[in-house]
Amino acid sequence: MKADLSAIDQLPGVHRIENCGKEEMTSLAMEMTHAVYAHDQVYGQYCSIQAYVDCPAEKAFEYLSDVYTLQEWTYSLRDFTTASDDGMVVATDRIGGATKIYTRTVANRQAMTVDFHCAWDQGEHLWMIYLMRVVPAQLVFDRPGCVVLWTNCRHPFYDRNPFPEKSPPGRKVWVGDMWPFFYAGHQIELDNLKYILEHRHANGLPMTIGGPQ
Amino acid sequence: MKTVSLVSAASYLPARVVDNSFFQHSDEAPAHAMFRGVKQRHHVARDETAQSMIVQATQKLADRLNLDLHNDVDILMTNVTAPDQPFMGCGAAVGKALGCRPEWILDLHNGGCVSFIAMIAQAQALMSHSGAKTALLCNVQNSAGRLFAQDETRKLKQALIPGDGCGVGYLVASNESPIKSIVQRNYCEYAGDMAIVRHDGSEWWEPSTACSYVDFTEAKLAQIMGRANHIVPEAIREACRQANLPTDQIGTLITNQPNRIFLRNWREALQLPPTRHVSTFERHGNLFGAALPLCLAEAIDSGQLQANSHLVLGGFAHAGDFAAAAVIHWRPQ
């Protein structure tokens, strides 16, 4: 059955050329386009960052999908264990002192997406999700190399620790308290990733670590 | 450079007030954000010249400052949007009417909506290299009545925006209210993106009964807005930096008045509250180059501009081919 597109135009908030003229569209665009945006407007609920990396997309994907490379390019994930049968690895997030961080990696080679499903303190509910995607720069910038996209969404647990009883004794910090620094922290880590990938690629080094160091 | 002060300003508004009912689209709120927000504007009468507008504003200025116009105008500068005559500026005619004997007359046809700042810069340069000690700077916007009130043009939404008026400012080589910094940026790559055209394609000097209007295209709007968002705050920040003035110490900001979204964005970019940004847009429309001295005159008269505060002027011209800003330490005697 052919979809009734005119019904879509009745939906509140939907703007299409059929129900919103070009002039009105430009008007909306003007209203929405500011010279500056407050940090919270841009990074309040989502933290999306990106970087160009002078390294082929396939190699960047290979590196990212090896969970143990997080020891290299993240600021504070260290002391990884070997993976359990269901693919879970446990590490220490030194930002939280002795805090354990549980990670399961979901990688899709065809889409070149690498999603890290994580949580502090427990591994039953992995709610801290790091969504990453590698795009060949040839496609988007007409040049060699790749672009790495990275998004986090502000899960409500960032604002409220759901399992306070599982925290190490005496820990005062909660991962979500740092949300206002997520842009900065993640950008620094993405820069780490960029420089490490470029170094490994330029020097012909392997793209995986393959286990705890 | 010689220390030069901006000591006062005065304005003149044509008697004819035009509300939105004059325009064909008055019954409906204009859809386009570019053309919203003006409730009324003044239009020059057919027999009202740029020269006569400058004369009336200057007489107010002379009364306020107790000037002897015969001796107290070494430099006379004008910028007029719709000149009285095609071959010449009106500076000499202004001098004649006011009884001035200026050493220098400059009728400028560039600098657009921030020509007031360009005139300040040129007057300061002239004062630094000649014996000139005083300058009368005159901005006239008269294109609303002369072009945008034409029968066909007034049916266009763009006709709602311009308003006529005249603002004059007075400079003295003194330390009274010193100009602390001036920044001028020419972006010649953006020249030619704004043009006055006619429906029948005729040039302005050719015989025609077609009306004139601004060749405004949606395609250019995003570009122009992007430029304005970028180049105006940049010029203002640089002028503040050169004057050692943190932008949160701007006492009064006066910009050109193209539309309310540009005003909003510049204010946001500088993180200034609306109370520190002079806006006459709703009452006078886009006054083009006259906005700066006219807003200054209003800010002086209303008391908004406080003694011993920092006055910052800024804005851009045409479709972004020029941006300028200046910082003045306002301490009138």
Side-chain angles (χ1 to χ4, degrees):
Chain A
M1 194 178 85
K2 203 172 174 183
D4 179 6
L5 288 176
S6 67
I8 293 172
D9 296 326
Q10 305 303 315
L11 294 176
V14 170
H15 297 91
R16 305 171 71 240
I17 200 161
E18 287 80 5
N19 72 354
C20 171
K22 280 195 268 186
E23 208 170 79
E24 193 184 341
M25 181 63 185
T26 313
S27 265
L28 283 172
M30 275 193 80
E31 294 282 359
M32 290 171 66
T33 305
H34 295 240
V36 293
Y37 299 84
H39 180 89
D40 200 53
Q41 282 175 280
V42 182
Y43 298 108
Q45 295 303 310
Y46 305 89
C47 183
S48 287
I49 58 174
Q50 53 281 319
Y52 168 78
V53 184
D54 186 9
C55 166
E58 294 73 19
K59 293 176 90 172
F61 172 78
E62 186 184 358
Y63 180 84
L64 270 177
S65 47
D66 176 3
V67 69
Y68 293 105
T69 64
L70 288 170
Q71 296 166 100
E72 289 190 344
W73 66 271
T74 66
Y75 174 69
S76 57
L77 299 197
R78 301 292 182 270
D79 312 324
F80 277 71
T81 63
T82 50
S84 63
D85 291 344
D86 62 354
M88 178 88 80
V89 297
V90 186
T92 303
D93 188 345
R94 292 196 192 168
I95 275 189
T99 296
K100 291 295 164 204
I101 181 163
Y102 294 74
T103 304
R104 186 176 283 123
T105 309
V106 179
N108 182 320
R109 183 172 294 276
Q110 198 175 1
M112 283 205 273
T113 55
V114 181
D115 301 339
F116 300 106
H117 295 242
C118 313
W120 270 20
D121 302 333
Q122 51 78 39
E124 286 78 51
H125 186 165
L126 300 178
W127 58 273
M128 297 162 51
I129 320 258
Y130 297 70
L131 306 165
M132 307 191 74
R133 176 172 179 176
V134 183
V135 182
Q138 200 64 51
L139 298 178
V140 292
F141 280 141
D142 195 25
R143 61 188 287 203
C146 68
V147 172
V148 177
L149 312 177
W150 175 2
T151 295
N152 280 66
C153 300
R154 189 173 186 163
H155 192 285
F157 291 172
Y158 280 117
D159 297 322
R160 172 182 63 85
N161 180 359
F163 309 109
E165 70 284 359
K166 303 208 171 162
S167 310
R171 188 183 69 199
K172 293 198 171 73
V173 67
W174 172 240
V175 60
D177 297 343
M178 287 169 280
W179 182 274
F181 283 165
F182 266 32
Y183 158 71
H186 288 186
Q187 189 63 54
I188 286 165
E189 292 184 319
L190 186 55
D191 288 343
N192 289 346
L193 177 68
K194 170 187 168 72
Y195 299 136
I196 292 167
L197 282 171
E198 289 178 349
H199 168 75
R200 283 182 175 271
H201 169 59
N203 293 286
L205 301 174
M207 283 299 177
T208 56
I209 295 177
Q213 298 291 291
Chain B
M1 281 288 199
K2 200 175 269 184
T3 302
V4 171
S5 290
L6 173 60
V7 297
S8 196
S11 66
Y12 164 80
L13 288 160
R16 185 173 175 224
V17 176
V18 176
D19 67 22
N20 291 346
S21 64
F22 176 73
F23 304 92
Q24 190 180 23
H25 295 277
S26 60
D27 48 337
E28 47 179 299
H32 204 299
M34 191 76 181
F35 306 126
R36 277 188 215 144
V38 182
K39 289 187 174 157
Q40 61 171 53
R41 76 289 290 147
H42 297 254
H43 274 190
V44 292
R46 190 180 177 283
D47 58 355
E48 195 159 28
T49 61
Q51 178 224 22
S52 69
M53 294 168 77
I54 293 172
V55 166
Q56 296 194 64
T58 303
Q59 280 165 346
K60 283 191 218 170
L61 183 84
D63 289 346
R64 174 178 289 174
L65 296 175
N66 200 21
L67 297 180
D68 166 12
L69 291 172
H70 185 75
N71 294 314
D72 292 345
V73 180
D74 297 337
I75 300 168
L76 173 56
M77 291 192 185
T78 74
N79 177 286
V80 178
T81 52
D84 292 339
Q85 289 289 327
F87 297 150
M88 69 197 95
C90 66
V94 167
K96 178 180 175 184
L98 291 172
C100 302
R101 298 289 300 274
E103 186 184 352
W104 302 86
I105 294 178
L106 285 92
D107 293 304
L108 304 180
H109 212 49
N110 53 9
C113 293
V114 277
S115 49
F116 189 66
I117 300 172
M119 290 196 283
I120 292 174
Q122 290 178 54
Q124 183 176 31
L126 277 177
M127 287 182 188
S128 299
H129 299 288
S130 77
K133 293 186 176 64
T134 57
L136 176 65
L137 314 181
C138 313
N139 274 105
V140 173
Q141 147 60 355
N142 52 357
S143 70
R146 286 188 173 176
L147 300 182
F148 294 92
Q150 293 174 6
D151 283 345
E152 291 303 313
T153 306
R154 81 187 214 197
K155 295 175 185 170
L156 303 175
K157 284 176 180 167
Q158 61 177 250
L160 285 157
I161 296 303
D164 290 335
C166 169
V168 297
Y170 191 63
L171 302 182
V172 179
S174 79
N175 200 33
E176 181 183 335
S177 287
I179 294 147
K180 308 290 278 186
S181 64
I182 301 175
V183 168
Q184 298 187 87
R185 299 263 192 268
N186 283 295
Y187 301 95
C188 299
E189 62 271 33
Y190 303 144
D193 282 359
M194 191 194 84
I196 302 291
V197 295
R198 290 175 179 164
H199 278 300
D200 65 359
S202 61
E203 299 292 345
W204 67 266
W205 66 86
E206 292 179 307
S208 170
T209 53
C211 296
S212 304
Y213 62 97
V214 177
D215 183 19
F216 172 85
T217 67
E218 296 280 321
K220 283 180 189 162
L221 177 60
Q223 297 262 331
I224 294 169
M225 188 167 173
R227 288 170 201 165
N229 279 344
H230 167 65
I231 64 180
V232 175
E234 193 275 331
I236 291 172
R237 280 197 203 96
E238 177 58 19
C240 289
R241 194 192 64 74
Q242 290 181 18
N244 292 317
L245 179 73
T247 51
D248 63 359
Q249 299 297 306
I250 294 171
T252 302
L253 173 67
I254 296 179
T255 61
N256 61 311
Q257 307 273 310
N259 71 55
R260 67 181 174 79
I261 291 177
F262 285 22
L263 294 174
R264 175 198 74 183
N265 288 1
W266 297 336
R267 210 162 52 227
E268 288 178 349
L270 297 165
Q271 296 190 280
L272 289 181
T275 49
R276 284 198 247 165
H277 190 184
V278 179
S279 178
T280 57
F281 183 66
E282 195 177 286
R283 290 177 286 125
H284 302 327
N286 185 351
L287 289 163
F288 293 67
L292 263 58
L294 198 144
C295 286
L296 174 59
E298 288 206 8
I300 294 170
D301 292 345
S302 70
Q304 181 173 3
L305 179 57
Q306 301 270 312
N308 210 31
S309 69
H310 282 92
L311 164 68
V312 174
L313 308 175
F316 77 114
H318 310 130
D321 62 11
F322 179 62
V327 174
I328 295 111
H329 190 185
W330 185 255
R331 42 186 197 193
Q333 288 168 356

